[in-house]
PDB file of all heavy atoms in Angstrom:
ATOM      1  N   GLN A   1      13.874  -1.635  -3.136  1.00  0.00           N
ATOM      2  CA  GLN A   1      14.539  -0.375  -2.839  1.00  0.00           C
ATOM      3  C   GLN A   1      15.008  -0.284  -1.387  1.00  0.00           C
ATOM      4  O   GLN A   1      15.591   0.718  -0.972  1.00  0.00           O
ATOM      5  CB  GLN A   1      13.600   0.798  -3.142  1.00  0.00           C
ATOM      6  CG  GLN A   1      13.218   0.928  -4.606  1.00  0.00           C
ATOM      7  CD  GLN A   1      12.084   1.923  -4.818  1.00  0.00           C
ATOM      8  OE1 GLN A   1      11.849   2.796  -3.993  1.00  0.00           O
ATOM      9  NE2 GLN A   1      11.375   1.773  -5.934  1.00  0.00           N
ATOM     10  N   GLY A   2      14.729  -1.353  -0.623  1.00  0.00           N
ATOM     11  CA  GLY A   2      15.130  -1.361   0.779  1.00  0.00           C
ATOM     12  C   GLY A   2      14.292  -0.462   1.660  1.00  0.00           C
ATOM     13  O   GLY A   2      14.708  -0.076   2.760  1.00  0.00           O
ATOM     14  N   LYS A   3      13.082  -0.143   1.206  1.00  0.00           N
ATOM     15  CA  LYS A   3      12.189   0.717   1.978  1.00  0.00           C
ATOM     16  C   LYS A   3      11.069  -0.128   2.581  1.00  0.00           C
ATOM     17  O   LYS A   3      10.548  -1.031   1.912  1.00  0.00           O
ATOM     18  CB  LYS A   3      11.561   1.794   1.083  1.00  0.00           C
ATOM     19  CG  LYS A   3      12.540   2.777   0.489  1.00  0.00           C
ATOM     20  CD  LYS A   3      11.807   3.968  -0.137  1.00  0.00           C
ATOM     21  CE  LYS A   3      10.804   3.540  -1.198  1.00  0.00           C
ATOM     22  NZ  LYS A   3      10.128   4.697  -1.830  1.00  0.00           N
ATOM     23  N   PRO A   4      10.666   0.160   3.798  1.00  0.00           N
ATOM     24  CA  PRO A   4       9.541  -0.576   4.380  1.00  0.00           C
ATOM     25  C   PRO A   4       8.215  -0.071   3.823  1.00  0.00           C
ATOM     26  O   PRO A   4       8.012   1.135   3.682  1.00  0.00           O
ATOM     27  CB  PRO A   4       9.655  -0.271   5.873  1.00  0.00           C
ATOM     28  CG  PRO A   4      10.289   1.088   5.922  1.00  0.00           C
ATOM     29  CD  PRO A   4      11.247   1.127   4.752  1.00  0.00           C
ATOM     30  N   PHE A   5       7.336  -0.989   3.475  1.00  0.00           N
ATOM     31  CA  PHE A   5       5.965  -0.622   3.112  1.00  0.00           C
ATOM     32  C   PHE A   5       5.155  -0.747   4.397  1.00  0.00           C
ATOM     33  O   PHE A   5       4.905  -1.843   4.887  1.00  0.00           O
ATOM     34  CB  PHE A   5       5.414  -1.545   2.020  1.00  0.00           C
ATOM     35  CG  PHE A   5       4.103  -1.060   1.434  1.00  0.00           C
ATOM     36  CD1 PHE A   5       4.095  -0.269   0.304  1.00  0.00           C
ATOM     37  CD2 PHE A   5       2.892  -1.398   2.031  1.00  0.00           C
ATOM     38  CE1 PHE A   5       2.896   0.189  -0.239  1.00  0.00           C
ATOM     39  CE2 PHE A   5       1.691  -0.948   1.499  1.00  0.00           C
ATOM     40  CZ  PHE A   5       1.686  -0.153   0.362  1.00  0.00           C
ATOM     41  N   ARG A   6       4.776   0.391   4.952  1.00  0.00           N
ATOM     42  CA  ARG A   6       4.192   0.431   6.296  1.00  0.00           C
ATOM     43  C   ARG A   6       2.673   0.343   6.242  1.00  0.00           C
ATOM     44  O   ARG A   6       2.017   1.130   5.571  1.00  0.00           O
ATOM     45  CB  ARG A   6       4.626   1.717   6.992  1.00  0.00           C
ATOM     46  CG  ARG A   6       6.152   1.849   7.133  1.00  0.00           C
ATOM     47  CD  ARG A   6       6.569   3.285   7.369  1.00  0.00           C
ATOM     48  NE  ARG A   6       6.190   4.156   6.247  1.00  0.00           N
ATOM     49  CZ  ARG A   6       6.396   5.468   6.208  1.00  0.00           C
ATOM     50  NH1 ARG A   6       6.997   6.067   7.225  1.00  0.00           N
ATOM     51  NH2 ARG A   6       6.005   6.181   5.166  1.00  0.00           N
ATOM     52  N   VAL A   7       2.127  -0.639   6.960  1.00  0.00           N
ATOM     53  CA  VAL A   7       0.679  -0.822   7.052  1.00  0.00           C
ATOM     54  C   VAL A   7       0.283  -0.695   8.511  1.00  0.00           C
ATOM     55  O   VAL A   7       1.005  -1.131   9.406  1.00  0.00           O
ATOM     56  CB  VAL A   7       0.221  -2.173   6.468  1.00  0.00           C
ATOM     57  CG1 VAL A   7       0.717  -2.326   5.037  1.00  0.00           C
ATOM     58  CG2 VAL A   7       0.695  -3.342   7.321  1.00  0.00           C
ATOM     59  N   ALA A   8      -0.879  -0.111   8.759  1.00  0.00           N
ATOM     60  CA  ALA A   8      -1.273   0.164  10.142  1.00  0.00           C
ATOM     61  C   ALA A   8      -2.697  -0.283  10.423  1.00  0.00           C
ATOM     62  O   ALA A   8      -3.530  -0.416   9.525  1.00  0.00           O
ATOM     63  CB  ALA A   8      -1.126   1.654  10.440  1.00  0.00           C
ATOM     64  N   ALA A   9      -2.950  -0.499  11.682  1.00  0.00           N
ATOM     65  CA  ALA A   9      -4.282  -0.773  12.215  1.00  0.00           C
ATOM     66  C   ALA A   9      -4.180  -0.606  13.722  1.00  0.00           C
ATOM     67  O   ALA A   9      -3.091  -0.360  14.258  1.00  0.00           O
ATOM     68  CB  ALA A   9      -4.753  -2.179  11.855  1.00  0.00           C
ATOM     69  N   SER A  10      -5.302  -0.716  14.401  1.00  0.00           N
ATOM     70  CA  SER A  10      -5.296  -0.720  15.862  1.00  0.00           C
ATOM     71  C   SER A  10      -5.241  -2.174  16.300  1.00  0.00           C
ATOM     72  O   SER A  10      -6.250  -2.896  16.200  1.00  0.00           O
ATOM     73  CB  SER A  10      -6.544  -0.032  16.414  1.00  0.00           C
ATOM     74  OG  SER A  10      -6.577   1.328  16.024  1.00  0.00           O
ATOM     75  N   ARG A  11      -4.088  -2.626  16.766  1.00  0.00           N
ATOM     76  CA  ARG A  11      -3.920  -4.031  17.109  1.00  0.00           C
ATOM     77  C   ARG A  11      -4.936  -4.437  18.167  1.00  0.00           C
ATOM     78  O   ARG A  11      -5.116  -3.765  19.180  1.00  0.00           O
ATOM     79  CB  ARG A  11      -2.497  -4.302  17.610  1.00  0.00           C
ATOM     80  CG  ARG A  11      -2.257  -5.782  17.879  1.00  0.00           C
ATOM     81  CD  ARG A  11      -0.787  -6.093  18.092  1.00  0.00           C
ATOM     82  NE  ARG A  11      -0.605  -7.501  18.411  1.00  0.00           N
ATOM     83  CZ  ARG A  11      -0.522  -8.480  17.514  1.00  0.00           C
ATOM     84  NH1 ARG A  11      -0.579  -8.182  16.234  1.00  0.00           N
ATOM     85  NH2 ARG A  11      -0.366  -9.730  17.881  1.00  0.00           N
ATOM     86  N   GLY A  12      -5.605  -5.573  17.919  1.00  0.00           N
ATOM     87  CA  GLY A  12      -6.615  -6.058  18.837  1.00  0.00           C
ATOM     88  C   GLY A  12      -8.025  -5.745  18.384  1.00  0.00           C
ATOM     89  O   GLY A  12      -8.992  -6.267  18.944  1.00  0.00           O
ATOM     90  N   ASN A  13      -8.154  -4.894  17.363  1.00  0.00           N
ATOM     91  CA  ASN A  13      -9.482  -4.579  16.833  1.00  0.00           C
ATOM     92  C   ASN A  13      -9.810  -5.481  15.641  1.00  0.00           C
ATOM     93  O   ASN A  13      -8.932  -6.094  15.039  1.00  0.00           O
ATOM     94  CB  ASN A  13      -9.564  -3.106  16.417  1.00  0.00           C
ATOM     95  CG  ASN A  13      -9.656  -2.181  17.616  1.00  0.00           C
ATOM     96  OD1 ASN A  13      -9.746  -2.633  18.742  1.00  0.00           O
ATOM     97  ND2 ASN A  13      -9.632  -0.891  17.366  1.00  0.00           N
ATOM     98  N   ALA A  14     -11.086  -5.526  15.288  1.00  0.00           N
ATOM     99  CA  ALA A  14     -11.527  -6.371  14.181  1.00  0.00           C
ATOM    100  C   ALA A  14     -10.840  -5.980  12.880  1.00  0.00           C
ATOM    101  O   ALA A  14     -10.537  -6.831  12.047  1.00  0.00           O
ATOM    102  CB  ALA A  14     -13.043  -6.283  14.017  1.00  0.00           C
ATOM    103  N   GLN A  15     -10.570  -4.683  12.721  1.00  0.00           N
ATOM    104  CA  GLN A  15      -9.965  -4.220  11.468  1.00  0.00           C
ATOM    105  C   GLN A  15      -8.566  -4.810  11.274  1.00  0.00           C
ATOM    106  O   GLN A  15      -8.142  -5.049  10.148  1.00  0.00           O
ATOM    107  CB  GLN A  15      -9.896  -2.682  11.462  1.00  0.00           C
ATOM    108  CG  GLN A  15     -11.252  -2.016  11.345  1.00  0.00           C
ATOM    109  CD  GLN A  15     -12.143  -2.257  12.542  1.00  0.00           C
ATOM    110  OE1 GLN A  15     -11.704  -2.161  13.685  1.00  0.00           O
ATOM    111  NE2 GLN A  15     -13.394  -2.603  12.299  1.00  0.00           N
ATOM    112  N   ASP A  16      -7.887  -5.046  12.358  1.00  0.00           N
ATOM    113  CA  ASP A  16      -6.559  -5.659  12.281  1.00  0.00           C
ATOM    114  C   ASP A  16      -6.654  -7.074  11.708  1.00  0.00           C
ATOM    115  O   ASP A  16      -5.932  -7.430  10.769  1.00  0.00           O
ATOM    116  CB  ASP A  16      -5.942  -5.680  13.682  1.00  0.00           C
ATOM    117  CG  ASP A  16      -4.488  -6.134  13.699  1.00  0.00           C
ATOM    118  OD1 ASP A  16      -3.881  -6.214  12.614  1.00  0.00           O
ATOM    119  OD2 ASP A  16      -3.969  -6.412  14.790  1.00  0.00           O
ATOM    120  N   ILE A  17      -7.560  -7.876  12.244  1.00  0.00           N
ATOM    121  CA  ILE A  17      -7.681  -9.258  11.747  1.00  0.00           C
ATOM    122  C   ILE A  17      -8.280  -9.276  10.351  1.00  0.00           C
ATOM    123  O   ILE A  17      -7.927 -10.130   9.523  1.00  0.00           O
ATOM    124  CB  ILE A  17      -8.484 -10.136  12.723  1.00  0.00           C
ATOM    125  CG1 ILE A  17      -8.236 -11.626  12.453  1.00  0.00           C
ATOM    126  CG2 ILE A  17      -9.959  -9.836  12.684  1.00  0.00           C
ATOM    127  CD1 ILE A  17      -6.851 -12.091  12.785  1.00  0.00           C
ATOM    128  N   HIS A  18      -9.205  -8.347  10.051  1.00  0.00           N
ATOM    129  CA  HIS A  18      -9.746  -8.265   8.691  1.00  0.00           C
ATOM    130  C   HIS A  18      -8.620  -8.015   7.700  1.00  0.00           C
ATOM    131  O   HIS A  18      -8.546  -8.656   6.644  1.00  0.00           O
ATOM    132  CB  HIS A  18     -10.782  -7.136   8.593  1.00  0.00           C
ATOM    133  CG  HIS A  18     -12.085  -7.454   9.242  1.00  0.00           C
ATOM    134  ND1 HIS A  18     -13.082  -6.510   9.399  1.00  0.00           N
ATOM    135  CD2 HIS A  18     -12.585  -8.599   9.764  1.00  0.00           C
ATOM    136  CE1 HIS A  18     -14.122  -7.061   9.999  1.00  0.00           C
ATOM    137  NE2 HIS A  18     -13.834  -8.326  10.238  1.00  0.00           N
ATOM    138  N   MET A  19      -7.737  -7.073   8.025  1.00  0.00           N
ATOM    139  CA  MET A  19      -6.623  -6.748   7.128  1.00  0.00           C
ATOM    140  C   MET A  19      -5.663  -7.930   7.003  1.00  0.00           C
ATOM    141  O   MET A  19      -5.254  -8.293   5.893  1.00  0.00           O
ATOM    142  CB  MET A  19      -5.867  -5.530   7.654  1.00  0.00           C
ATOM    143  CG  MET A  19      -4.667  -5.126   6.789  1.00  0.00           C
ATOM    144  SD  MET A  19      -3.775  -3.674   7.419  1.00  0.00           S
ATOM    145  CE  MET A  19      -2.992  -4.350   8.886  1.00  0.00           C
ATOM    146  N   ARG A  20      -5.300  -8.540   8.116  1.00  0.00           N
ATOM    147  CA  ARG A  20      -4.358  -9.652   8.090  1.00  0.00           C
ATOM    148  C   ARG A  20      -4.920 -10.828   7.286  1.00  0.00           C
ATOM    149  O   ARG A  20      -4.199 -11.465   6.514  1.00  0.00           O
ATOM    150  CB  ARG A  20      -4.024 -10.091   9.518  1.00  0.00           C
ATOM    151  CG  ARG A  20      -3.188  -9.077  10.274  1.00  0.00           C
ATOM    152  CD  ARG A  20      -3.058  -9.437  11.754  1.00  0.00           C
ATOM    153  NE  ARG A  20      -2.363  -8.395  12.479  1.00  0.00           N
ATOM    154  CZ  ARG A  20      -1.052  -8.396  12.751  1.00  0.00           C
ATOM    155  NH1 ARG A  20      -0.298  -9.404  12.337  1.00  0.00           N
ATOM    156  NH2 ARG A  20      -0.493  -7.408  13.415  1.00  0.00           N
ATOM    157  N   GLY A  21      -6.207 -11.103   7.482  1.00  0.00           N
ATOM    158  CA  GLY A  21      -6.826 -12.194   6.742  1.00  0.00           C
ATOM    159  C   GLY A  21      -6.887 -11.919   5.255  1.00  0.00           C
ATOM    160  O   GLY A  21      -6.627 -12.799   4.427  1.00  0.00           O
ATOM    161  N   ALA A  22      -7.238 -10.667   4.907  1.00  0.00           N
ATOM    162  CA  ALA A  22      -7.313 -10.292   3.492  1.00  0.00           C
ATOM    163  C   ALA A  22      -5.933 -10.349   2.850  1.00  0.00           C
ATOM    164  O   ALA A  22      -5.779 -10.815   1.708  1.00  0.00           O
ATOM    165  CB  ALA A  22      -7.914  -8.892   3.355  1.00  0.00           C
ATOM    166  N   PHE A  23      -4.920  -9.881   3.561  1.00  0.00           N
ATOM    167  CA  PHE A  23      -3.546  -9.948   3.051  1.00  0.00           C
ATOM    168  C   PHE A  23      -3.126 -11.394   2.821  1.00  0.00           C
ATOM    169  O   PHE A  23      -2.546 -11.733   1.784  1.00  0.00           O
ATOM    170  CB  PHE A  23      -2.589  -9.290   4.051  1.00  0.00           C
ATOM    171  CG  PHE A  23      -2.456  -7.799   3.895  1.00  0.00           C
ATOM    172  CD1 PHE A  23      -3.400  -7.052   3.215  1.00  0.00           C
ATOM    173  CD2 PHE A  23      -1.376  -7.125   4.449  1.00  0.00           C
ATOM    174  CE1 PHE A  23      -3.280  -5.691   3.076  1.00  0.00           C
ATOM    175  CE2 PHE A  23      -1.238  -5.758   4.320  1.00  0.00           C
ATOM    176  CZ  PHE A  23      -2.191  -5.038   3.625  1.00  0.00           C
ATOM    177  N   ALA A  24      -3.389 -12.247   3.811  1.00  0.00           N
ATOM    178  CA  ALA A  24      -2.980 -13.655   3.705  1.00  0.00           C
ATOM    179  C   ALA A  24      -3.641 -14.321   2.507  1.00  0.00           C
ATOM    180  O   ALA A  24      -3.003 -15.096   1.785  1.00  0.00           O
ATOM    181  CB  ALA A  24      -3.338 -14.398   4.985  1.00  0.00           C
ATOM    182  N   LYS A  25      -4.913 -13.995   2.278  1.00  0.00           N
ATOM    183  CA  LYS A  25      -5.619 -14.588   1.145  1.00  0.00           C
ATOM    184  C   LYS A  25      -5.015 -14.145  -0.178  1.00  0.00           C
ATOM    185  O   LYS A  25      -5.048 -14.884  -1.176  1.00  0.00           O
ATOM    186  CB  LYS A  25      -7.102 -14.244   1.198  1.00  0.00           C
ATOM    187  CG  LYS A  25      -7.923 -14.983   0.159  1.00  0.00           C
ATOM    188  CD  LYS A  25      -9.390 -15.047   0.517  1.00  0.00           C
ATOM    189  CE  LYS A  25     -10.153 -15.928  -0.463  1.00  0.00           C
ATOM    190  NZ  LYS A  25     -11.572 -16.034  -0.124  1.00  0.00           N
ATOM    191  N   GLN A  26      -4.434 -12.963  -0.213  1.00  0.00           N
ATOM    192  CA  GLN A  26      -3.823 -12.438  -1.427  1.00  0.00           C
ATOM    193  C   GLN A  26      -2.338 -12.794  -1.537  1.00  0.00           C
ATOM    194  O   GLN A  26      -1.658 -12.375  -2.468  1.00  0.00           O
ATOM    195  CB  GLN A  26      -3.983 -10.914  -1.478  1.00  0.00           C
ATOM    196  CG  GLN A  26      -5.428 -10.447  -1.591  1.00  0.00           C
ATOM    197  CD  GLN A  26      -6.064 -10.822  -2.908  1.00  0.00           C
ATOM    198  OE1 GLN A  26      -5.392 -10.938  -3.930  1.00  0.00           O
ATOM    199  NE2 GLN A  26      -7.378 -11.006  -2.907  1.00  0.00           N
ATOM    200  N   GLY A  27      -1.833 -13.568  -0.561  1.00  0.00           N
ATOM    201  CA  GLY A  27      -0.438 -13.980  -0.609  1.00  0.00           C
ATOM    202  C   GLY A  27       0.545 -12.943  -0.104  1.00  0.00           C
ATOM    203  O   GLY A  27       1.736 -12.997  -0.419  1.00  0.00           O
ATOM    204  N   ILE A  28       0.064 -12.005   0.693  1.00  0.00           N
ATOM    205  CA  ILE A  28       0.933 -10.993   1.289  1.00  0.00           C
ATOM    206  C   ILE A  28       1.217 -11.402   2.729  1.00  0.00           C
ATOM    207  O   ILE A  28       0.302 -11.568   3.527  1.00  0.00           O
ATOM    208  CB  ILE A  28       0.275  -9.594   1.258  1.00  0.00           C
ATOM    209  CG1 ILE A  28      -0.002  -9.167  -0.188  1.00  0.00           C
ATOM    210  CG2 ILE A  28       1.153  -8.566   1.961  1.00  0.00           C
ATOM    211  CD1 ILE A  28      -0.848  -7.909  -0.302  1.00  0.00           C
ATOM    212  N   ASP A  29       2.501 -11.572   3.059  1.00  0.00           N
ATOM    213  CA  ASP A  29       2.917 -11.972   4.407  1.00  0.00           C
ATOM    214  C   ASP A  29       3.137 -10.720   5.235  1.00  0.00           C
ATOM    215  O   ASP A  29       4.084  -9.962   4.998  1.00  0.00           O
ATOM    216  CB  ASP A  29       4.199 -12.801   4.347  1.00  0.00           C
ATOM    217  CG  ASP A  29       4.563 -13.422   5.693  1.00  0.00           C
ATOM    218  OD1 ASP A  29       4.282 -12.789   6.728  1.00  0.00           O
ATOM    219  OD2 ASP A  29       5.127 -14.532   5.698  1.00  0.00           O
ATOM    220  N   ILE A  30       2.251 -10.496   6.215  1.00  0.00           N
ATOM    221  CA  ILE A  30       2.332  -9.252   6.982  1.00  0.00           C
ATOM    222  C   ILE A  30       3.577  -9.193   7.848  1.00  0.00           C
ATOM    223  O   ILE A  30       4.006  -8.117   8.283  1.00  0.00           O
ATOM    224  CB  ILE A  30       1.059  -9.056   7.834  1.00  0.00           C
ATOM    225  CG1 ILE A  30       0.881  -7.581   8.214  1.00  0.00           C
ATOM    226  CG2 ILE A  30       1.084  -9.951   9.072  1.00  0.00           C
ATOM    227  CD1 ILE A  30      -0.469  -7.201   8.703  1.00  0.00           C
ATOM    228  N   ASN A  31       4.207 -10.348   8.105  1.00  0.00           N
ATOM    229  CA  ASN A  31       5.417 -10.370   8.926  1.00  0.00           C
ATOM    230  C   ASN A  31       6.694 -10.197   8.109  1.00  0.00           C
ATOM    231  O   ASN A  31       7.732  -9.810   8.656  1.00  0.00           O
ATOM    232  CB  ASN A  31       5.495 -11.683   9.708  1.00  0.00           C
ATOM    233  CG  ASN A  31       4.348 -11.835  10.688  1.00  0.00           C
ATOM    234  OD1 ASN A  31       4.076 -10.940  11.468  1.00  0.00           O
ATOM    235  ND2 ASN A  31       3.662 -12.961  10.627  1.00  0.00           N
ATOM    236  N   LYS A  32       6.639 -10.478   6.816  1.00  0.00           N
ATOM    237  CA  LYS A  32       7.839 -10.421   5.980  1.00  0.00           C
ATOM    238  C   LYS A  32       7.770  -9.380   4.865  1.00  0.00           C
ATOM    239  O   LYS A  32       8.782  -8.779   4.506  1.00  0.00           O
ATOM    240  CB  LYS A  32       8.097 -11.800   5.359  1.00  0.00           C
ATOM    241  CG  LYS A  32       8.387 -12.897   6.377  1.00  0.00           C
ATOM    242  CD  LYS A  32       8.595 -14.243   5.685  1.00  0.00           C
ATOM    243  CE  LYS A  32       8.876 -15.349   6.687  1.00  0.00           C
ATOM    244  NZ  LYS A  32       9.042 -16.672   6.024  1.00  0.00           N
ATOM    245  N   ASP A  33       6.585  -9.185   4.303  1.00  0.00           N
ATOM    246  CA  ASP A  33       6.472  -8.314   3.128  1.00  0.00           C
ATOM    247  C   ASP A  33       6.249  -6.853   3.479  1.00  0.00           C
ATOM    248  O   ASP A  33       6.556  -5.964   2.671  1.00  0.00           O
ATOM    249  CB  ASP A  33       5.323  -8.796   2.235  1.00  0.00           C
ATOM    250  CG  ASP A  33       5.564 -10.190   1.677  1.00  0.00           C
ATOM    251  OD1 ASP A  33       6.750 -10.549   1.511  1.00  0.00           O
ATOM    252  OD2 ASP A  33       4.585 -10.910   1.420  1.00  0.00           O
ATOM    253  N   VAL A  34       5.679  -6.604   4.659  1.00  0.00           N
ATOM    254  CA  VAL A  34       5.344  -5.233   5.048  1.00  0.00           C
ATOM    255  C   VAL A  34       5.785  -5.001   6.493  1.00  0.00           C
ATOM    256  O   VAL A  34       6.134  -5.935   7.207  1.00  0.00           O
ATOM    257  CB  VAL A  34       3.823  -4.970   4.922  1.00  0.00           C
ATOM    258  CG1 VAL A  34       3.370  -5.116   3.480  1.00  0.00           C
ATOM    259  CG2 VAL A  34       3.023  -5.897   5.836  1.00  0.00           C
ATOM    260  N   GLN A  35       5.752  -3.745   6.895  1.00  0.00           N
ATOM    261  CA  GLN A  35       6.065  -3.388   8.282  1.00  0.00           C
ATOM    262  C   GLN A  35       4.779  -2.946   8.970  1.00  0.00           C
ATOM    263  O   GLN A  35       4.152  -1.971   8.568  1.00  0.00           O
ATOM    264  CB  GLN A  35       7.093  -2.259   8.336  1.00  0.00           C
ATOM    265  CG  GLN A  35       7.455  -1.816   9.751  1.00  0.00           C
ATOM    266  CD  GLN A  35       8.442  -0.652   9.765  1.00  0.00           C
ATOM    267  OE1 GLN A  35       9.292  -0.542   8.897  1.00  0.00           O
ATOM    268  NE2 GLN A  35       8.323   0.218  10.747  1.00  0.00           N
ATOM    269  N   PHE A  36       4.389  -3.681  10.006  1.00  0.00           N
ATOM    270  CA  PHE A  36       3.144  -3.349  10.709  1.00  0.00           C
ATOM    271  C   PHE A  36       3.384  -2.254  11.738  1.00  0.00           C
ATOM    272  O   PHE A  36       4.322  -2.304  12.521  1.00  0.00           O
ATOM    273  CB  PHE A  36       2.566  -4.584  11.398  1.00  0.00           C
ATOM    274  CG  PHE A  36       1.304  -4.288  12.180  1.00  0.00           C
ATOM    275  CD1 PHE A  36       0.104  -4.109  11.517  1.00  0.00           C
ATOM    276  CD2 PHE A  36       1.337  -4.170  13.563  1.00  0.00           C
ATOM    277  CE1 PHE A  36      -1.060  -3.814  12.216  1.00  0.00           C
ATOM    278  CE2 PHE A  36       0.177  -3.886  14.276  1.00  0.00           C
ATOM    279  CZ  PHE A  36      -1.024  -3.704  13.606  1.00  0.00           C
ATOM    280  N   ILE A  37       2.496  -1.255  11.730  1.00  0.00           N
ATOM    281  CA  ILE A  37       2.535  -0.156  12.697  1.00  0.00           C
ATOM    282  C   ILE A  37       1.246  -0.208  13.511  1.00  0.00           C
ATOM    283  O   ILE A  37       0.154  -0.180  12.957  1.00  0.00           O
ATOM    284  CB  ILE A  37       2.618   1.219  11.987  1.00  0.00           C
ATOM    285  CG1 ILE A  37       3.794   1.258  10.995  1.00  0.00           C
ATOM    286  CG2 ILE A  37       2.704   2.338  13.016  1.00  0.00           C
ATOM    287  CD1 ILE A  37       5.148   1.228  11.635  1.00  0.00           C
ATOM    288  N   ASN A  38       1.376  -0.281  14.825  1.00  0.00           N
ATOM    289  CA  ASN A  38       0.201  -0.280  15.693  1.00  0.00           C
ATOM    290  C   ASN A  38      -0.147   1.148  16.099  1.00  0.00           C
ATOM    291  O   ASN A  38       0.675   1.854  16.680  1.00  0.00           O
ATOM    292  CB  ASN A  38       0.469  -1.131  16.944  1.00  0.00           C
ATOM    293  CG  ASN A  38      -0.726  -1.143  17.892  1.00  0.00           C
ATOM    294  OD1 ASN A  38      -1.869  -1.083  17.447  1.00  0.00           O
ATOM    295  ND2 ASN A  38      -0.463  -1.220  19.184  1.00  0.00           N
ATOM    296  N   ILE A  39      -1.364   1.573  15.778  1.00  0.00           N
ATOM    297  CA  ILE A  39      -1.861   2.886  16.203  1.00  0.00           C
ATOM    298  C   ILE A  39      -3.094   2.616  17.053  1.00  0.00           C
ATOM    299  O   ILE A  39      -4.198   2.420  16.532  1.00  0.00           O
ATOM    300  CB  ILE A  39      -2.203   3.782  14.997  1.00  0.00           C
ATOM    301  CG1 ILE A  39      -0.979   3.907  14.073  1.00  0.00           C
ATOM    302  CG2 ILE A  39      -2.659   5.167  15.464  1.00  0.00           C
ATOM    303  CD1 ILE A  39      -1.244   4.696  12.809  1.00  0.00           C
ATOM    304  N   PRO A  40      -2.942   2.535  18.380  1.00  0.00           N
ATOM    305  CA  PRO A  40      -3.995   2.046  19.259  1.00  0.00           C
ATOM    306  C   PRO A  40      -5.338   2.769  19.138  1.00  0.00           C
ATOM    307  O   PRO A  40      -6.385   2.133  19.107  1.00  0.00           O
ATOM    308  CB  PRO A  40      -3.396   2.212  20.663  1.00  0.00           C
ATOM    309  CG  PRO A  40      -1.916   2.144  20.446  1.00  0.00           C
ATOM    310  CD  PRO A  40      -1.693   2.822  19.127  1.00  0.00           C
ATOM    311  N   ASN A  41      -5.311   4.089  19.069  1.00  0.00           N
ATOM    312  CA  ASN A  41      -6.567   4.845  19.027  1.00  0.00           C
ATOM    313  C   ASN A  41      -6.933   5.167  17.578  1.00  0.00           C
ATOM    314  O   ASN A  41      -6.203   5.885  16.893  1.00  0.00           O
ATOM    315  CB  ASN A  41      -6.427   6.140  19.825  1.00  0.00           C
ATOM    316  CG  ASN A  41      -7.771   6.802  20.089  1.00  0.00           C
ATOM    317  OD1 ASN A  41      -8.720   6.641  19.328  1.00  0.00           O
ATOM    318  ND2 ASN A  41      -7.860   7.544  21.179  1.00  0.00           N
ATOM    319  N   PRO A  42      -8.067   4.647  17.088  1.00  0.00           N
ATOM    320  CA  PRO A  42      -8.457   4.887  15.687  1.00  0.00           C
ATOM    321  C   PRO A  42      -8.583   6.363  15.322  1.00  0.00           C
ATOM    322  O   PRO A  42      -8.422   6.723  14.158  1.00  0.00           O
ATOM    323  CB  PRO A  42      -9.811   4.172  15.571  1.00  0.00           C
ATOM    324  CG  PRO A  42      -9.792   3.145  16.644  1.00  0.00           C
ATOM    325  CD  PRO A  42      -9.032   3.765  17.775  1.00  0.00           C
TER     326      PRO A  42
END
């Protein structure tokens, strides 16, 4: 539909790498399939 599927985390925190790793294991490319939004303060 040409819409971004926006996913967020606080870049640099453990939750960011947990999400990226889980996505990669499921075959989701965080750089191509979704739009990452950085929200620094949880």
Side-chain angles (χ1 to χ4, degrees):
Q1 296 169 22
K3 296 192 303 182
F5 190 93
R6 300 160 299 178
V7 305
S10 298
R11 184 168 177 84
N13 286 355
Q15 290 66 45
D16 187 12
I17 198 68
H18 286 172
M19 179 180 71
R20 290 171 185 264
F23 274 19
K25 188 159 186 179
Q26 295 293 331
I28 299 171
D29 189 327
I30 201 164
N31 297 310
K32 297 178 180 178
D33 297 332
V34 297
Q35 179 182 327
F36 178 76
I37 307 292
N38 179 33
I39 305 176
N41 193 333

